[in-house]
Amino acid sequence: MASASEKKVISQQEQHTFQNDELLRSVGTQLNVDFSDYDQWQRKYKVNHTRTKKPQDSQITFKVGKINKKAENVPQINFLRGRRAQASLEEQQRLQKEKCDILEIKIRHARQTSEMYIKREKELVEMNLQIASEIESKEAETHAEVKRLLRKYEKFRGGIATLNTNFAKELSEVKLELETSRAYIHLKLKALEQNVAEMDKRLILKQEKLNVLRSYKDKEYPVKAMVIANLQAELDKLKHSNQEELEELEHIINTELGKYEKERIRLSNDITCRVTEESLGMMHPSLKDTALQNLVMKKEIEFHQKQHEDLGFTNQQLENEVSALLKNPKSNVRLQLFPEFFPIREKCTPDMDIILDIPTQEWLPI
């Protein structure tokens, strides 16, 4: 019989194996295998497998006397021990069969896994062959591309030297411009500093004037304001007192101005007439006739232009009336005389819906 520590170690190992194996975990619930407790399968009594010899007929003896009860119980105990041993043997066979089933399941699973790995190996080999063929097919293109890139690199390498030279040249120019800009900014800064100094001086002067104005506002301004208010009041009084005299004076002034304006107009007209007569007297008679004819022609041109404008306006009105009459259906003589031959038809515009209502011939049912 195994000791308690050995049984515990064995049960832990088998339980660990059962937990790590996915296949055993999947079928563990169906087989209901418990490897942790073996006490129920161990024999507690030593089975005696010695065969009892049957008494021969010649050796049969009969004892007369008191019956021994212990001798009667011995066959019964041996019979019970035999049944227990047989049950234990059957249980061991059942456990061994379950273990065999588990091993068969493991073997089947291992075969499936190996077949899957072999299939995957074939797929990887085919994939590698395909990749190798693709690499070989693209090798020429890659070689041409590499040659093109090398030529491009040679060109760029020659261009880099040119770029470096240009960069050095531009750098020197930029540095020169930087120095020039610094000198210009320095001069401008000096000018700005001078302007700031002048503005500070002006500010000081303005502040002094402001102080003077503040002192004037606080001391002299109220007195001057009172004097100005008094003078304004006196001026208003004088305006009211002299209002009538002012109105009369304005009337006299306007009357005299009107007289002088009329006299000026009369004198200017007289002078114009006199100068015109003198100019006409000094002119040649043919020139006078030409001027007179030009004047008459100018008047006639103005008259004809006005008449032309009137005729154009009249023509426009007539055209509007004619277009209105053409649009009016009452002015259409043919439509008024023969309305049955000239029916009114509406024009189809893009925003109208088209309805196909062509009459069709319907046959009577036979």
Side-chain angles (χ1 to χ4, degrees), residues 188-203:
K188 196 170 182 180
L189 186 61
K190 283 185 177 179
L192 289 173
E193 288 176 353
Q194 291 177 359
N195 292 331
V196 169
E198 292 178 359
M199 294 301 294
D200 289 336
K201 291 179 181 179
R202 290 182 183 179
L203 181 61

Side-chain angles (χ1 to χ4, degrees), residues 150-166:
L150 288 173
R151 293 193 188 95
K152 194 174 182 180
Y153 171 72
E154 291 294 332
K155 292 179 182 179
F156 285 164
R157 188 171 64 179
I160 287 169
T162 306
L163 288 174
N164 290 330
T165 306
N166 294 332

Side-chain angles (χ1 to χ4, degrees), residues 343-358:
I344 299 173
R345 295 179 180 178
E346 295 182 357
K347 292 183 179 180
C348 183
T349 57
D351 57 345
M352 293 176 64
D353 296 332
I354 298 174
I355 300 173
L356 300 176
D357 55 353
I358 301 172

Side-chain angles (χ1 to χ4, degrees), residues 70-90:
K70 291 181 180 180
E72 292 178 357
N73 291 330
V74 170
Q76 189 176 0
I77 291 170
N78 291 331
F79 177 73
L80 292 174
R81 288 180 179 177
R83 289 185 64 185
R84 288 177 182 174
Q86 187 177 1
S88 176
L89 182 61
E90 290 177 356

